[in-house]
């Protein structure tokens, strides 16, 4: 027989087990999304926390950057809404107080 036919299956690579390769990837600080996600979600309960999104606006990780931008945008949108609501409440209270002083009960009784 020829040399090729006398090789065993293991020598030819047929019965040998495949080598086991273990690849351990370590998450870096740049890949960790816990911070931006916590800030984004916590901002719905404590709105000033959204301001911390500035920390991730220039991140190279696109998900962190988007969460940072959204947090900052939500902060300023909430701030504008808060200012408008306070202005409406103060002006309504001032109008009601003026009406009460002048004796116009239309504003004070609600009828």
């Amino acid at each position: 027989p020829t040399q090729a036919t006398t090789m065993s299956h293991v020598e030819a690579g047929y019965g040998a087990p495949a080598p086991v390769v273990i690849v351990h990837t370590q998450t870096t600080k740049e890949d960790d999304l816990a911070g931006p996600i916590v800030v984004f979600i916590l901002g719905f309960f404590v709105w000033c926390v959204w301001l911390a999104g500035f920390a991730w606006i220039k991140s190279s990780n696109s998900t962190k950057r988007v969460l940072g931008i959204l947090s900052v945008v939500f902060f300023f949108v909430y701030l504008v809404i808060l200012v408008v609501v306070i202005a409406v409440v103060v002006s309504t209270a001032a109008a009601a107080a003026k009406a009460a002083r002048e004796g116009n009960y239309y504003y004070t009784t609600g009828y």
Side-chain angles (χ1 to χ4, degrees):
T2 64
Q3 181 67 20
T5 57
T6 58
M7 280 197 307
S8 69
H9 289 300
V10 174
E11 290 173 348
Y14 291 110
V20 177
V21 178
I22 298 174
V23 178
H24 179 68
T25 57
Q26 188 174 8
T27 59
T28 62
K29 195 172 187 177
E30 187 62 32
D31 294 334
D32 188 23
L33 293 176
I37 291 173
V38 167
V39 166
F40 184 71
I41 293 172
L42 190 61
F44 287 101
F45 303 101
V46 183
W47 66 276
C48 59
V49 172
W50 275 328
L51 201 53
F54 273 117
W56 297 289
I57 284 183
K58 296 197 181 221
S59 174
S60 61
N61 185 319
S62 63
T63 306
K64 281 181 153 181
R65 189 171 51 252
V66 167
L67 286 171
I69 291 170
L70 281 175
S71 294
V72 172
V73 167
F74 281 16
F75 172 80
F76 285 110
V77 167
Y78 185 83
L79 188 63
V80 168
I81 290 171
L82 186 65
V83 167
V84 169
V85 167
I86 289 173
V88 168
V89 167
V90 168
S91 67
T92 303
K98 180 180 177 187
R101 279 193 310 271
E102 294 174 354
N104 185 351
Y105 294 104
Y106 175 76
Y107 288 103
T108 59
T109 59
Y111 295 107

